[in-house]
Amino acid sequence: MVLLTLYQVLRSVMAEAAESVPGTDPDRCGFTIAFQTTRDHAIQAADVTATAVGQVGHIGRRPLADLLPPRRQRVSTREVKSPTSRYDERLEDGRPGASRTVTGLDITILEPGPDLPTVSHDDRYTPLAGRRKQRVPALLQADPDRHWRTRDLARHPGDITVNTMYRQLDRWAAQGLITKTAPATFASPKPLPPVQIR
């Protein structure tokens, strides 16, 4: 906790230093330089931080004197370069295959969903058609390309905790009723390709 506090204080000093020079990107202030300067001047404790509003102490002046080059504006997909890796195939997830300049950003604010119950309802005595074991796979089949998170699936029945839902989904995936596509993520099983008889 102490290290985290010191890190945040040092980052704040660097940000204030960048603000003292209009047009300076805080990303160009090197953390290593600020850290080494702090370490070297900690014993002296003189002129380390600003003493008045608008002034910059020695820790702030040192990164400003040796700014890093401007950061390239880009977004890049992650690709594994090792030809022997079992993860060498990049999935089509909508990210670009080559570096591109970021020209805009869309932010969507989602309303929080309803709170899930703290106790799960035992639906073993519910009529078969109303049980979660029938309703959840039907929900997945209705949108076969969607990958559902456990919490989102638990909100549909509304009578089960996330932990119980996760255990049931894991069990149904082992039985082949649904497919586990990632940790805590599930989808409808893909239909098997037709068998060709020659």
Side-chain angles (χ1 to χ4, degrees), residues 6-188:
L6 291 174
Y7 172 83
Q8 295 296 341
V9 168
L10 194 52
R11 282 292 184 188
S12 298
V13 171
M14 293 166 60
E16 290 173 5
E19 290 173 357
S20 70
V21 180
T24 302
D25 186 352
D27 283 341
R28 296 187 61 192
C29 294
F31 179 79
T32 303
I33 295 173
F35 171 74
Q36 291 172 348
T37 305
T38 304
R39 181 192 60 197
D40 296 343
H41 290 79
I43 297 175
Q44 300 173 10
D47 194 30
V48 174
T49 59
T51 55
V53 177
Q55 294 182 352
V56 178
H58 191 75
I59 294 174
R61 288 195 302 269
R62 184 68 182 82
L64 286 175
D66 193 11
L67 290 174
L68 301 172
R71 179 175 291 183
R72 288 186 296 160
Q73 298 298 319
R74 65 189 179 94
V75 59
S76 182
T77 186
R78 294 184 178 183
E79 292 186 16
V80 177
K81 306 220 184 285
S82 172
T84 59
S85 171
R86 59 185 175 143
Y87 304 108
D88 57 350
E89 182 180 348
R90 184 175 67 84
L91 299 176
E92 291 299 330
D93 56 3
R95 291 182 292 177
S99 298
R100 295 184 185 172
T101 301
V102 178
T103 57
L105 182 65
D106 293 329
I107 299 175
T108 303
I109 300 176
L110 302 175
E111 292 291 330
D115 290 336
L116 292 172
T118 56
V119 179
S120 296
H121 168 70
D122 186 354
D123 71 346
R124 286 178 293 179
Y125 307 105
T126 304
L128 188 61
R131 294 182 190 173
R132 288 186 293 269
K133 191 172 183 178
Q134 276 65 42
R135 288 190 290 159
V136 170
L139 179 66
L140 296 177
Q141 289 170 4
D143 193 355
D145 296 326
R146 179 173 175 181
H147 296 248
W148 292 76
R149 304 286 297 170
T150 303
R151 182 173 295 276
D152 297 330
L153 286 170
R155 283 199 175 102
H156 279 269
D159 60 357
I160 187 170
T161 65
V162 173
N163 289 337
T164 305
M165 183 87 262
Y166 184 75
R167 287 196 299 272
Q168 288 189 348
L169 292 170
D170 251 1
R171 189 164 56 247
W172 299 338
Q175 295 170 358
L177 292 174
I178 60 176
T179 302
K180 187 172 185 177
T181 58
T185 307
F186 299 86
S188 177

